[in-house]
Amino acid sequence: MLVKDRMTKDPVTVRPETPVLEALNLLRNKRFRRLPVLEGEHLVGIVTDKDLKDAMPSKATTLSVWELNYLLAKLMVKDVMARPVITVQAAEPLEQAALLLQAHKIGGLPVLEGPKLVGIVTVTDVLKAFTEMLGLEAGGVRITLDLPDKPGALAHAAAAVPPSNIVSVATVDHQGGVQRVVLRAVGEGVEGVEARLRAAGHEVVDVRKLEPRALA
């Protein structure tokens, strides 16, 4: 799965000279949390709702209404935007976006094709993709196994699952020669998956029945 498969295309943008109040109203009306800042066609910054709110005068200000309006009229996006901008290319794997979001502790990334802004991808987009990849909407059973960390161990465990169908597999940890694996299985005979795995000699750590759910 690539970033371009999950990004919001053609995001709303602002210019560096956009007044902060205008940008804040745009975020509120569109229910966004961040706005890429373009100068011509070049991405020069990004501004979030927090950046804009933090730039507003405190409610405890002693400024007069005239002074307050004067200052706000002069405050522009370029005065509060973040730069340089952390970006990701549209053709990168979605995992690369997840790593960047985590490493920089940010909630969204402008997406580029070469130098051109084509989208934006957020933590919410990555989480939604993650839940879909894990098959959370399919129901069935979720089984956690500790398998020997050696070639063929996962294939041997998977061979014990039929006639049920495996809808997702995730390796979540490697320690002391053991890999922890989470399987999700659905379909015929799903109630017996645990027993079949144990009969095949596998260490079952946890089993949970899942109800089918629709992901928004």
Side-chain angles (χ1 to χ4, degrees):
M1 188 178 298
L2 304 179
V3 171
K4 64 183 178 182
D5 300 321
R6 290 292 172 172
M7 70 183 186
T8 298
K9 297 179 181 179
D10 303 320
V12 175
T13 63
V14 291
R15 295 173 293 104
E17 296 78 17
T18 301
V20 163
L21 276 177
E22 182 181 327
L24 190 56
N25 287 331
L26 186 59
L27 283 175
R28 287 172 176 169
N29 292 335
K30 297 292 187 179
R31 297 185 178 181
F32 299 147
R33 292 188 177 179
R34 55 194 57 82
L35 291 166
V37 185
L38 292 184
E39 192 163 38
E41 294 186 354
H42 299 287
L43 180 69
V44 295
I46 189 166
V47 66
T48 68
D49 54 352
K50 185 177 185 304
D51 297 329
L52 296 171
K53 290 173 182 176
D54 287 348
M56 303 296 286
S58 166
K59 292 181 179 180
T61 181
T62 58
L63 295 173
S64 67
V65 173
W66 184 88
E67 290 171 320
L68 188 59
N69 288 336
Y70 175 76
L71 289 174
L72 289 178
K74 292 184 63 177
L75 192 61
M76 299 181 183
V77 165
K78 64 182 179 181
D79 300 319
V80 300
M81 69 184 186
R83 53 183 159 183
V85 192
I86 308 302
T87 64
V88 67
Q89 288 288 320
E92 289 283 351
L94 191 60
E95 300 94 305
Q96 177 63 18
L99 289 171
L100 288 170
L101 290 167
Q102 181 182 24
H104 296 281
K105 296 181 173 60
I106 52 180
L109 291 166
V111 182
L112 306 180
E113 279 187 353
K116 182 181 178 182
L117 177 71
V118 294
I120 194 162
V121 65
T122 68
V123 169
T124 300
D125 298 324
V126 173
L127 285 175
K128 186 176 180 181
F130 175 73
T131 55
E132 289 179 7
M133 285 188 290
L134 288 181
L136 295 182
E137 78 282 6
V141 294
R142 174 188 187 274
I143 301 176
T144 304
L145 304 168
D146 278 347
L147 301 178
D149 192 4
K150 62 182 183 181
L154 181 57
H156 186 257
V161 174
S164 304
N165 184 38
I166 296 174
V167 294
S168 71
V169 181
T171 302
V172 296
D173 198 13
H174 292 81
Q175 288 187 6
V178 173
Q179 62 176 351
R180 179 153 290 186
V181 174
V182 178
L183 299 176
R184 292 184 182 272
V186 298
E188 181 183 353
V190 72
E191 298 84 0
V193 173
E194 177 185 2
R196 294 195 292 276
L197 285 166
R198 291 188 185 278
H202 297 293
E203 183 178 349
V204 178
V205 177
D206 183 74
V207 179
R208 297 174 188 268
K209 183 178 180 181
L210 302 173
E211 297 298 328
R213 65 184 72 181
L215 299 177

